Amino acid sequence: IRRPPRSTPKPSSAASDVYKRQNNEDDPNGSHIAIDVVSEAFEGLSRVKRQQLVMRSIKDEMDSGAIHAIDKLTTKTPAEVA
């Protein structure tokens, strides 16, 4: 897993740390997914700010309809997982 610099968290950095995506391809309305992200970029950020980073990083997939809905979005720092 590529770790972004702590001082400059960016949406694309958070996306690179995605370690689990569950995709339901049987859904006729588009994909419903669950996303779990562990990233140092989340250190010191509120839950809302963390989610905003992830959402910005998948904006194109949401806009294109490749992802229809996110059923679950979990964001944690490495310390919160340990």
Side-chain angles (χ1 to χ4, degrees), residues 22-38:
Q22 297 172 341
N23 191 351
N24 181 1
E25 297 190 18
D26 296 332
D27 190 325
N29 298 318
S31 296
H32 285 240
I33 63 171
I35 302 173
D36 296 310
V37 184
V38 176

Side-chain angles (χ1 to χ4, degrees), residues 9 40-50 53 77 80:
E40 290 178 354
F42 297 145
E43 291 287 344
L45 297 179
S46 70
R47 183 173 50 175
V48 171
K49 292 292 184 190
R50 294 174 182 194
L53 283 173
T77 65
E80 292 169 337

Side-chain angles (χ1 to χ4, degrees), residues 10-79:
K10 296 180 181 178
S12 59
S13 298
S16 70
D17 289 341
V18 171
Y19 72 89
K20 182 178 177 185
R21 285 178 112 171
Q22 297 172 341
N23 191 351
N24 181 1
E25 297 190 18
D26 296 332
D27 190 325
N29 298 318
S31 296
H32 285 240
I33 63 171
I35 302 173
D36 296 310
V37 184
V38 176
S39 176
E40 290 178 354
F42 297 145
E43 291 287 344
L45 297 179
S46 70
R47 183 173 50 175
V48 171
K49 292 292 184 190
R50 294 174 182 194
Q51 291 175 352
Q52 288 172 341
L53 283 173
V54 174
M55 294 303 292
R56 275 187 242 138
S57 70
I58 62 169
K59 183 182 183 325
D60 290 341
E61 290 173 293
M62 294 289 292
D63 290 347
S64 74
I67 297 174
H68 174 72
I70 299 169
D71 295 328
K72 177 184 166 194
L73 175 56
T74 304
T75 59
K76 295 182 179 183
T77 65

